[in-house]
Amino acid sequence: MLDYASLAAVSQVVRDGSFERAARALNVTSSAVSQRVKLLEDRLGVALIVRGAPCVATEAGQRLCRHVEQVGMLERDLHRAMPALGQLDDPVARVTLKVAVNADSLDAWFVGAAARFCEQEAALVDVSLDDQDHTAEWLRTGAVIAAVTGSAKPIQGCRSIPLGHMPYVATASPAFVKRYFRGGVDAATLAEAPCMTFNRKDTLQADWMKRVCGRLVQVPRHWLPSSQAFVTGALAGLGWGMNPRVFVEDHLRRGRLVQLVPDTDLPVALHWQHARLQVPMLDRLTDAVVAAARATLSP
């Protein structure tokens, strides 16, 4: 049998990134946490944690953390089904579900889904941010148990559920459009106009330009790794960028922003993929995510 006190120590160190914070969370000394981790590493004959700032799990450590997460969900469901077992009131005992989500979904609807789920569950969420075209890799490596992803094809061992489409619209302030696109939007004018890009993985602006111009255009770029900063930057005239229509609909209606080219929305299909586990808690998280997404996204 595995020593679950040691497993809990490994999981907490990985979650908090340090032995000291894990010790405070578990209400034990740092020495006790270190001893529990070392005991399990010695027994298994493999390193579980790469010590550093922050501490991170090795591949073997990730597998054990997934096991702890799954056992925690099963235990919670067992207590829910059998009240005679007593209540698990200790907040430390709450299971933490690791998921990967793209930034726009997180701001637009995922937080609401997580809130509704956690209202009914003794659970916490640990959200990792990445581009929707890359969140699937988090699932593939086992770093998360579920992800909002642009990939429809199920990852091995996972279930894929369509959520809907998030329409993106190329937007800028009226003053910015007057300055850079007085003669219209084409490859030549786009090459002069500063473009906002979320990060090096963000291809939305490039995809839109290829759709409008028929080819990729090299443009000057601002790098803004924030969904809110994209809207604020467009309003301030910093540059143009692809914003989810749900974020800018009111600004477009009031004339604070304008669409660079009418009727050129770029729809991005999103899917919820999660590990195929017979765990009711994960099913309830899925229900909350699907309901929130379909209430916000286009079919």
Side-chain angles (χ1 to χ4, degrees), residues 132-133 149-152 163-168 266-271 297:
Q132 64 271 2
D133 292 331
T149 174
S151 175
L163 297 176
H165 291 80
M166 181 173 282
Y168 284 80
L266 191 66
V268 174
L270 295 174
H271 303 264
L297 303 177

Side-chain angles (χ1 to χ4, degrees), residues 19-39:
F19 283 77
E20 292 75 18
R21 287 193 290 271
R24 289 195 293 270
L26 295 171
N27 198 28
V28 298
T29 66
S30 296
S31 176
V33 172
S34 181
Q35 288 174 3
R36 291 176 187 180
V37 173
K38 187 176 186 305
L39 177 68

Side-chain angles (χ1 to χ4, degrees), residues 190-208:
L190 284 168
E192 299 296 327
C195 166
M196 297 182 295
T197 305
F198 191 88
N199 58 26
R200 269 67 182 176
K201 297 178 180 179
D202 179 11
T203 65
L204 286 173
Q205 285 69 221
D207 293 342
W208 182 83

Side-chain angles (χ1 to χ4, degrees), residues 19-299:
F19 283 77
E20 292 75 18
R21 287 193 290 271
R24 289 195 293 270
L26 295 171
N27 198 28
V28 298
T29 66
S30 296
S31 176
V33 172
S34 181
Q35 288 174 3
R36 291 176 187 180
V37 173
K38 187 176 186 305
L39 177 68
L40 194 54
E41 288 180 325
D42 289 345
R43 178 180 175 185
L44 298 176
V46 294
L48 300 175
I49 294 175
V50 179
R51 278 70 169 172
C55 296
V56 296
T58 63
E59 183 177 351
Q62 283 189 354
R63 291 181 65 88
L64 287 179
C65 287
R66 289 200 303 275
H67 175 75
V68 171
E69 185 177 359
Q70 293 166 21
V71 168
M73 287 190 289
L74 288 169
E75 186 176 68
R76 283 293 176 179
D77 281 322
L78 183 62
H79 277 259
R80 183 170 179 157
M82 301 179 65
L85 290 174
Q87 297 298 315
L88 293 174
D89 294 326
D90 183 2
V92 173
R94 290 180 180 176
V95 61
T96 297
L97 306 183
K98 295 183 179 181
V99 298
V101 183
N102 62 308
D104 291 333
S105 291
L106 182 68
D107 288 347
W109 57 267
F110 189 86
V111 168
R116 283 187 287 276
F117 169 73
C118 291
E119 283 176 0
Q120 306 298 324
E121 304 287 343
L124 303 170
V125 293
D126 182 351
V127 178
S128 297
L129 280 181
D130 208 341
D131 185 88
Q132 64 271 2
D133 292 331
H134 296 268
T135 49
E137 188 59 28
W138 292 73
L139 259 179
R140 190 173 289 108
T141 61
V144 298
I145 199 168
V148 176
T149 174
S151 175
K153 183 179 179 181
I155 295 166
Q156 184 176 5
C158 294
R159 178 188 178 203
S160 179
I161 303 170
L163 297 176
H165 291 80
M166 181 173 282
Y168 284 80
V169 56
T171 50
S173 69
F176 185 91
V177 171
K178 183 178 180 180
R179 178 180 179 183
Y180 288 100
F181 300 116
R182 187 185 299 271
V185 177
D186 56 26
T189 53
L190 284 168
E192 299 296 327
C195 166
M196 297 182 295
T197 305
F198 191 88
N199 58 26
R200 269 67 182 176
K201 297 178 180 179
D202 179 11
T203 65
L204 286 173
Q205 285 69 221
D207 293 342
W208 182 83
M209 286 187 285
K210 284 189 285 187
R211 177 178 175 182
V212 170
C213 301
R215 64 181 179 86
L216 184 63
V217 181
Q218 295 300 321
V219 295
R221 296 182 185 274
H222 297 295
W223 300 94
L224 293 178
S226 162
S227 297
Q228 184 56 49
F230 250 61
V231 178
T232 304
L235 289 167
L238 180 66
W240 71 271
M242 303 299 295
N243 279 303
R245 183 170 280 279
V246 67
F247 290 172
V248 297
E249 192 70 69
D250 185 61
H251 296 308
L252 290 170
R253 185 167 54 251
R254 294 174 182 270
R256 293 189 288 257
L257 291 176
V258 294
Q259 191 170 357
L260 297 193
V261 180
D263 302 320
T264 57
D265 286 23
L266 191 66
V268 174
L270 295 174
H271 303 264
W272 174 248
Q273 293 208 32
H274 66 81
R276 285 188 177 275
L277 300 171
Q278 298 298 318
V279 180
M281 182 181 284
L282 182 56
D283 293 338
R284 292 192 292 272
L285 174 62
T286 295
D287 291 342
V289 166
V290 171
R294 291 180 178 174
T296 303
L297 303 177
S298 301

